[in-house]
Structure formats: C-alpha cells, structure tokens
C-alpha cells in the first residue's frame, strides 16, 4: 500500500509541467485551443498515454498538470479515443426538445454521442449556433438543436470508465494552482501596512484552500489507482464518484476563494483567476455533476458488497 | 501509487483479525459512562489483553517492550480494531500515546523503568495537566508555578481539561519554573503522582452531561525534582517530542466509525431527500480515508507532506457537517440522546474543532508552516 507518487511518476509530473510552462503559458491559454496546441500536446505524448501503456494513475498525474496550467480543449475524450483525432463529447444522449451545448465544435474531428445507441458524428454535419459569449472564454460552445445520425460507435467500457477520474484530475490541478496564485498574491499585496496574508481573515481562507486541495489530491490519486487495481470498477464506482465530487467542489470553492483574496483585481479580466474558476464551472458539468455523483454515491455505498 | 497491501501486511491483518474475534467474544459489557472505577478496570483489562497478545505499545520501540510496528501496521491495527468495534484506547490514552513516548525519548533510565512497563500492562493510568483556565490556545502562557525548594518543587496553580483526572495514578504536568524567561522558555515537564497531598480533583461536566474531564487544583504540592523529565525550563520542547510518534494514524478509528455511521444513515437520508448532502459527506470521509493512507505512506518513507497538517482540520469540520446532517435527517427523533448514537455523537463531536488545537489555530499553523505566510504575534 503506497498512495504516494513513485519516482517515475514524479519524473512524469515534472516533465509534463516543464513542457507546459515552456509551451503553453497562460497567454496561449487565453488564445484558446486549436490544432497546433493539440499537435504539440500529442507530440508530448498526452493523447497516446493509454496506448503507450501508461497506467490510470500515471494519466492522473499528467491530467493534474494540464489542469494546473488551465490547458483548454476536449482533452479527456481525445485521450480516451486515442487515435489521433480531436474528439468531442456531447454529454447528452439525445436532443429531445431541449437544445444542447457542444464544446469546441469548430476544431473537432469527431463528436461522440453517448446513449442507448452511441454514435460518432461528423462535426461538419452538425448545425449549430456558436455562442458569442461563452462562460469560459477558453471553452467555446455552440448551441445544437439536432444531431445527425452519424455512425454507430462502441464505447469500450474499460477505457471510458476513466472519464470522470481524468476530469477530477483536471479539477484537482485547478484547485492546486488557484491556491498557489492566491498565496503568492497575499504575500505581495500590502494593505494597512502589512501583507494581507498576515491577517487571519485572509490566512484562514488560504489554509482552507490548501486543505481542500490536499484532501482532493488523496481522493483523485486513490481513484486512479483503483482503476488500475480493479478492472471491474465502473465509471460509477465509489472511489470514482468520490473523486469527482471532492475535486469538483475543491476547484469551485478555491476559485471563489481566490477571487475574494485578489479583491477588486480578482474581478478583472486581466487577472487569471477567473479563467480557472470558469473552467471549474465547465468541468463540474462534465460526465455527471457533483450533486448527481453524490446522489449515485448514496446508492453505491448503501448496497451491500 | 499502489493500493494493495504487502503479503506481510496482510498476514499481520489476518492474525490480528483472528485474535480480535476470540478476544472480543470474551469481553464483558461496557460499564456505564460515568462509572469511573469500572470504566478504568474495563479499559485497563483490555490493555492487559493487548499486552499479553503482543499488541500493546504497537508503535513503541521493541527495546521498551513495544512492537516497533511500521506505520502501515499501525494503520491496519487501528482500522481492524475499529471495524471490530473493539474497545478504544480509553483511559490508556495519555499513557500509551503521549506520556510513554515522551519518557522513551526524554526520560531517565529510572523514569523509564518506573513507568513504561506499567503503562504497557495497563497497571498505571496517566492524565494530562497542560491546559489552564488562562492558557488554552495560548498554552505557553500557562501560570501554574513550580518553585524550587531543595530537592523538591512546590506547585501552586490550576489545571483544566485533565482527561481521566479522577482515576489517574500519575499525571504529565507542565509548570512554570522561570517566570522571568520568555513564556515558552520557562516551562518544565513533571511526572506528578496524583495521590500527593495538596492535589484536589474536581470532575468537569461537559455538554454530554458526563465528566470525562477534570479540573485539578494544586496547593503547595511538594514533588521531587527527580520527577522532572528533561532539563529545567526545557519542557516546551519535551512536550513536542511525542509528535515524532505520530504516523498519520490519529484519526483512523474516528474515520472508520464515521463511514459506518454515514452508511447507516442512508435509508433515513433517502426518506428526507438528503441523498445529495449525505453522498457529499461520504465522499469527504472516503477522501479523508485516502488521505490517511497517503499520510501513512509518506510516514513509511520517512517523509511528511502538507496532508499531515490538514488532516485534523479537514476531519473535524467534515465530521461536524455530517453531525448536522444527522440531526436534519432525524428531525424530532433527535430530541432524545439515550440509545441514540447519532445524537450523542453530534454532541461529542462539538469538541473536535476545539480540542487539541482549535480549527482557527490549525489554520494559523497551516498558513504559516505550509504556506509560508507572515506569523501571528506570539
């Protein structure tokens, strides 16, 4: 039993972090996801992790860093499809009267639609109306009122059960980076002749941010390892649901907390905090929301065995 | 990252599991909460059983009669005993987990020989005399005075929150030996036999209506200087050596219980449409269980990370949120405490965010030691 990263995983973490620091700084994040970014990430091996034999626990390490650097794009479906295409995920089974919002539609090679008859849709055939003001400026969304029939697509359950765990790893990365940003600012920003981080009113917010992050980290690492350990764990297994719930809550709460610590500057477009918070809100809707996961968790924890 | 336990660890678990089954079958019923003499006997009898089976002083070095267990074995021990609903450490808490380790690190050979074997066998019960009415979060401001008189100290002052004070044989007491020095440099650590003349113990009734704690009044209590552990005025450092024995397992029993209670609440939560809130509580407890394993993993590697610092704050706050949810789910069935574990627990857990470092102090510590923020005035 060892829930600490191995030396190889630490090297993997540091390697991807230095690549992201050099190639995808926050200025590039702000410019949004495009094929060039996909190609660079692919070259670094991000989208072939599973095919290259990396464990789920390894993938978690990499996706935590992608979250820390606020890297935009349909990262999780693309790595799970793993065939070199930019893959989007519809998050709705069928559009019955209620329009759906599809992310990154313009850059997708394929749009995967889950459901009773899952299918792969050619994004060029999708009629959509792009939002002029997406919540997360790095996650463009388009409103779709109908989806073409497309081709039948089989979701390999062994692979796709990793979806919520990788989302939770991104959320963990957001929570971690938000803590770092807020702490840094609280040490520099002086009011009433003192760095504001010296006031308990601020210090305690920051301590809570770290606490949420560390608790989420344990849950997410554990969920990744659980997938490796037991092929029978599904996308609605207890450790998976727990990770999605806790990491999602940490990312959003830390986004709100960081905004508060940054004060007026936290409400500006210029300061990066809002990008992380908005991404946290986007990811909360991925797969199942934290509340839906919590509801399911009650069912899983309540059944014997 | 590896979830599986080693074969050696699984063997330790299996052996312990088998022993617990037979030992618990022979266990007499637990005495009522305030029957202190009977409770002492019940707890110390269990300690004796642990001793005879080789599980006493699990984390103590072998040379002092302990088992020298690895951090992972300690985790397994606390997990299995809690799952089996075995007696908690009870009145043996201060002796086995605090005073004993302190003596191992700082005591003289005579002090070790006098006390360590007795603690392990359950023959000696310890209490703690640290907090005072005027020294809570600011413990170092304590004022109980110890004045030197030849080979003795003469003690005057008042202590509070002495767990098991009314039935303890010995106490670990922090006293002020130099009132002129900066406040954490004038403190000494004493072994105080609780039957000395001038010691008065008054039970303190808590919100549970029970009296696990006591106030201790010291009036001209004469205690030999040889009862001091460590150098004079070095007691603040001596107090902290026991932290070396903390392996991230402090909340294992609490967490095992919390998860059990949360699972038991599921049907009630369903009835009151509280599934989402309860699911979030369970997710938090599960995450804290993972954090415990992560902290133990780091301990086993001889390292420590921020996870160890956040555990107490995260657990105590999560447990109180769960306690509120319990009351919500129970509705007016929460209006009685007798035979109502969830309500009793709600009362008991009010102390979690206060005792052993209030949440506000925990946040200061995290802010300063982990995040490197400016220090509070001291």
């Amino acid at each position: 039993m060892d829930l600490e990263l191995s030396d190889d995983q630490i090297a993997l973490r540091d390697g991807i972090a230095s690549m992201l620091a050099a190639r995808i700084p926050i200025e590039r994040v702000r410019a949004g996801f495009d094929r060039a970014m996909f190609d660079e990430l692919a070259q670094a091996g991000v989208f072939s992790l599973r095919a290259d034999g990396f464990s789920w626990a390894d993938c978690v390490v990499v996706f935590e860093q992608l979250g820390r650097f606020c890297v935009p794009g349909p990262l999780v479906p693309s790595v799970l499809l793993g065939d070199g295409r930019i893959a989007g995920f519809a998050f709705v089974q069928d559009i019955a009267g209620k329009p759906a919002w599809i992310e990154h539609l313009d850059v997708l090679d394929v749009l995967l639609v889950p459901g009773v008859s899952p299918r792969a849709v050619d994004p060029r055939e999708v009629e959509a109306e792009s939002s002029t003001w997406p919540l997360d400026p790095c996650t463009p969304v388009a409103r779709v009122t109908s989806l073409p029939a497309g081709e039948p697509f089989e979701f390999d359950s062994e692979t796709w059960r990793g979806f919520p765990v990788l989302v939770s790893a991104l959320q963990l990365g957001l929570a971690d980076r938000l803590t770092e940003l807020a702490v840094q600012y609280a040490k520099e920003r002086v009011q009433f002749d003192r760095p504001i981080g010296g006031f308990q009113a601020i210090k305690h917010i920051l301590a809570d941010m770290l606490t949420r992050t560390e608790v989420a980290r344990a849950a997410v690492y554990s969920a990744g390892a659980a997938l490796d350990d037991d092929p029978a764990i599904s996308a609605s297994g207890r450790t998976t649901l727990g990770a999605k719930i806790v990491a999602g809550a940490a990312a959003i709460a830390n986004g709100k907390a960081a905004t508060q610590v940054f004060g007026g500057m936290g409400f500006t477009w210029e300061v990066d905090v809002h990008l992380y918070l908005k991404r946290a809100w986007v990811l909360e809707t991925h797969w199942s929301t934290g509340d839906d996961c919590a509801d399911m968790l009650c069912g899983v924890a309540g059944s014997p065995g | 990252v590896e979830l599986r336990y080693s074969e050696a660890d699984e063997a330790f678990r299996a052996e312990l599991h088998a022993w617990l089954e037979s030992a618990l079958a022979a266990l007499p019923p637990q005495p009522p909460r305030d029957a202190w003499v009977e409770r002492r006997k019940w707890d110390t009898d269990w300690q004796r059983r642990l001793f005879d089976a080789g599980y006493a002083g699990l984390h103590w070095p072998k040379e002092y009669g302990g088992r020298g267990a690895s951090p992972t074995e300690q985790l397994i021990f606390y997990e299995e005993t809690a799952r089996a609903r075995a007696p908690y450490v009870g009145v043996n808490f201060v002796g086995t987990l605090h005073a004993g380790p302190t003596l191992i690190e700082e005591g003289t050979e005579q002090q070790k020989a006098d006390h360590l074997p007795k603690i392990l066998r359950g023959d000696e019960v310890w209490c703690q005399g640290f907090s005072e009415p005027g020294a809570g979060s600011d413990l170092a401001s304590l004022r109980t005075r110890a004045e030197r008189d030849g080979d003795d100290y003469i003690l005057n002052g008042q202590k509070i929150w002495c767990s098991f004070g009314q039935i303890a044989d010995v106490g670990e007491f922090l006293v002020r030996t130099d009132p002129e020095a900066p406040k954490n440099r004038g403190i000494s650590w004493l072994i105080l036999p609780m039957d000395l003349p001038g010691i008065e113990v008054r039970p303190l009734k808590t919100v549970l209506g029970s009296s696990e704690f006591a106030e201790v009044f010291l009036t001209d209590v004469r205690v030999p200087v040889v009862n001091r552990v460590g150098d004079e005025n070095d007691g603040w450092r001596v107090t902290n050596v026991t932290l070396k024995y903390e392996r991230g397992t402090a909340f294992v029993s609490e967490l095992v219980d919390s998860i059990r209670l949360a699972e038991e609440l599921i049907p009630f939560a369903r009835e009151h449409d509280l599934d989402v809130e309860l699911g979030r509580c369970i997710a938090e407890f599960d995450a804290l269980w993972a954090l415990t394993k992560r902290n133990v993993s780091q301990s086993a590697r001889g390292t420590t990370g921020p996870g160890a610092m956040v555990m107490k704050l995260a657990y105590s706050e999560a447990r109180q949120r769960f306690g509120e949810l319990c009351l919500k789910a129970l509705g007016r069935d929460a209006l009685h405490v007798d035979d109502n574990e969830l309500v009793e627990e709600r009362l008991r857990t009010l102390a979690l965010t206060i005792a052993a470092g209030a949440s506000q102090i925990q946040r200061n510590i995290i802010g300063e030691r982990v995040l490197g923020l400016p220090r509070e005035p001291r």
Side-chain angles (χ1 to χ4, degrees):
Chain A
M1 192 282 293
D2 188 0
L3 253 67
E4 180 57 297
L5 300 183
S6 68
D7 291 346
D8 285 348
Q9 285 166 334
I10 290 171
L12 180 67
R13 177 193 70 191
D14 295 348
I16 187 83
S18 62
M19 188 282 282
L20 292 172
R23 310 297 287 274
I24 312 188
I26 198 72
E27 298 76 31
R28 188 147 173 222
V29 167
R30 282 175 176 264
F33 177 81
D34 55 16
R35 190 163 298 274
M37 189 184 286
F38 177 86
D39 289 341
E40 273 181 69
L41 290 169
Q43 208 168 3
V46 166
F47 296 112
S48 51
L49 281 166
R50 287 299 287 163
D52 292 342
F54 284 92
S55 69
W56 286 113
D58 297 335
C59 295
V60 160
V61 168
V62 172
F63 272 68
E64 179 187 350
Q65 293 307 311
L66 292 168
R68 279 194 84 247
F69 285 84
C70 207
V71 177
L75 306 175
V76 176
S78 297
V79 72
L80 294 180
L81 185 65
D83 67 359
R85 285 185 290 173
I86 304 178
F89 194 76
F91 296 108
V92 287
Q93 302 193 353
D94 285 295
I95 296 174
K98 194 171 176 289
W101 294 94
I102 306 296
E103 299 165 22
H104 298 288
L105 184 63
D106 290 347
V107 293
L108 298 181
D109 294 319
V110 57
L111 174 64
L112 303 174
V113 185
V116 188
S117 319
R119 55 201 206 270
V121 166
D122 184 342
R124 288 167 304 185
E125 291 174 10
V126 177
E127 279 181 45
E129 192 187 332
S130 293
S131 164
T132 55
W133 186 5
L135 171 66
D136 171 7
C138 313
T139 306
V141 289
R143 189 171 181 271
V144 174
T145 46
S146 72
L147 284 169
E151 302 288 319
F153 178 84
E154 199 180 332
F155 284 96
D156 168 45
S157 60
E158 213 287 313
T159 300
W160 288 83
R161 75 198 172 108
F163 202 123
V165 174
L166 295 189
V167 174
S168 71
L170 292 170
Q171 292 169 318
L172 165 64
L174 295 174
D176 187 56
R177 179 67 180 144
L178 282 160
T179 308
E180 194 179 318
L181 287 171
V183 167
Q184 205 176 340
Y185 184 74
K187 287 177 181 174
E188 291 162 3
R189 169 75 173 169
V190 172
Q191 288 287 274
F192 305 104
D193 304 319
R194 286 165 61 186
I196 61 170
F199 294 109
Q200 287 188 359
I202 304 296
K203 186 182 282 178
H204 289 190
I205 293 176
L206 300 169
D208 284 338
M209 292 176 78
L210 178 87
T211 301
R212 283 190 288 264
T213 307
E214 291 304 320
V215 173
R217 189 187 309 284
V220 173
Y221 287 5
S222 176
L227 293 182
D228 292 320
D229 186 67
D230 184 359
I233 288 182
S234 74
S236 51
R238 180 162 171 166
T239 47
T240 299
L241 295 171
K244 180 73 170 48
I245 294 166
V246 172
I252 291 173
N254 282 8
K256 289 192 278 197
T259 307
Q260 190 68 24
V261 170
F262 272 80
M265 291 311 291
F267 193 60
T268 65
W269 193 266
E270 174 198 343
V271 164
D272 299 325
V273 169
H274 71 108
L275 301 176
Y276 293 84
L277 174 57
K278 289 168 176 172
R279 185 70 49 78
W281 281 329
V282 169
L283 293 178
E284 180 67 8
T285 70
H286 280 198
W287 197 257
S288 292
T289 65
D291 277 352
D292 288 344
C293 289
D295 197 34
M296 284 189 265
L297 181 51
C298 253
V300 175
S303 57
Chain B
V1 181
E2 169 62 56
L3 291 181
R4 296 277 164 116
Y5 288 84
S6 70
E7 273 181 35
D9 285 337
E10 288 297 359
F12 174 81
R13 186 192 297 275
E15 190 188 305
L16 172 64
H17 193 83
W19 177 76
L20 280 169
E21 260 185 20
S22 65
L24 291 174
L27 190 74
Q30 187 169 11
R33 207 174 39 200
D34 277 325
W36 281 101
V37 176
E38 293 80 2
R39 261 188 75 176
R40 173 185 164 130
K41 182 171 169 3
W42 198 74
D43 288 355
T44 52
D45 281 355
W46 178 250
Q47 179 67 21
R48 181 58 197 239
R49 281 173 172 276
L50 289 174
F51 177 80
D52 290 339
Y55 292 116
L58 198 71
H59 62 308
W60 290 18
K62 282 184 177 159
E63 56 179 313
Y64 296 108
R67 193 175 173 117
S70 70
T72 310
E73 286 172 337
Q74 293 173 44
L75 171 70
I76 292 169
F77 178 84
Y78 292 118
E79 179 187 359
E80 287 298 322
T81 47
R83 281 194 205 289
R85 315 282 297 267
Y88 184 57
V89 62
V91 304
N92 306 296
F93 179 84
V94 178
T96 59
L97 295 173
H98 207 271
T102 305
L103 292 180
I104 289 170
E105 289 295 313
E106 298 289 329
T108 63
E109 289 313 309
Q110 188 62 49
Q111 289 167 342
K112 290 176 191 173
D114 285 348
H115 299 287
L116 295 179
K118 287 187 188 168
I119 293 172
L120 280 186
R121 283 198 307 264
D123 290 342
E124 187 173 86
V125 171
W126 282 64
C127 66
Q128 186 181 67
F130 283 12
S131 299
E132 296 179 5
S137 289
D138 184 12
L139 181 61
S141 70
L142 60 91
R143 290 198 312 205
T144 292
R145 188 79 175 89
E147 276 175 295
R148 189 76 176 253
D149 180 32
D151 291 335
D152 293 334
Y153 287 115
I154 297 175
L155 270 48
N156 280 287
Q158 182 186 350
K159 294 289 180 180
I160 194 171
W161 303 118
C162 306
S163 319
F164 317 112
Q166 54 274 63
I167 42 92
D169 305 302
V170 198
E172 47 168 13
F173 273 65
L174 289 182
V175 294
R176 183 152 308 278
T177 34
D178 183 356
E180 307 303 323
K183 58 186 181 180
N184 60 355
R185 305 232 180 93
I187 293 170
S188 298
W189 200 105
L190 296 183
I191 301 170
L192 187 68
M194 293 301 284
D195 56 358
L196 290 178
I199 300 180
E200 189 197 343
V201 179
R202 291 186 207 157
L204 185 68
K205 199 166 171 178
T206 68
V207 294
L208 283 156
S210 157
S211 51
E212 167 171 330
F213 297 102
E215 289 179 285
V216 175
F217 296 82
L218 305 164
T219 312
D220 294 328
V221 178
R222 191 170 274 276
V223 52
V225 170
V226 292
N227 279 28
R228 193 187 66 226
V229 174
D231 288 342
E232 191 167 84
N233 299 327
D234 199 24
W236 190 251
R237 186 190 62 79
V238 172
T239 305
N240 288 311
V241 300
T242 183
L243 296 177
K244 271 175 63 178
Y245 284 79
E246 165 55 20
R247 291 285 183 264
T249 56
F251 296 96
V252 172
S253 307
E254 284 268 352
L255 271 171
V256 168
D257 280 347
S258 300
I259 291 170
R260 173 180 60 82
L261 291 171
E263 288 173 356
E264 285 173 9
L265 191 71
I266 290 171
F268 297 94
R270 285 259 162 81
E271 258 173 55
H272 295 83
D273 216 12
L274 296 169
D275 312 45
V276 170
E277 279 179 69
L278 180 59
R280 285 190 177 272
C281 282
I282 295 175
E284 280 186 74
F285 289 146
D286 282 357
L288 289 168
W289 183 242
L291 181 63
T292 299
K293 288 182 172 178
R294 196 167 139 76
N295 291 344
V296 167
S297 303
Q298 289 175 343
S299 246
R301 290 166 172 235
T303 61
T304 178
M309 306 282 281
V310 306
M311 187 69 200
K312 197 223 171 222
L313 175 64
Y315 171 70
S316 54
E317 298 289 339
R319 181 57 187 260
Q320 292 198 348
R321 279 192 292 276
F322 171 66
E324 276 316 298
L325 181 62
C326 290
L327 293 199
K328 211 162 148 182
L330 290 174
R332 288 181 58 81
D333 286 335
L335 298 188
H336 69 109
V337 189
D338 44 314
D339 296 324
N340 211 355
E341 188 183 10
L342 292 176
V343 182
E344 184 178 342
E345 280 294 292
R346 179 67 197 107
L347 291 175
R348 183 188 68 84
T349 55
L350 284 171
L352 290 180
T353 51
I354 303 167
S359 287
Q360 288 65 34
I361 298 295
Q362 298 295 328
R363 290 188 180 98
N364 282 351
I365 294 172
I366 293 165
E368 294 167 22
R369 296 199 202 149
V370 184
L371 301 176
L373 297 167
R375 284 165 59 94
E376 294 297 317
R378 279 185 173 74

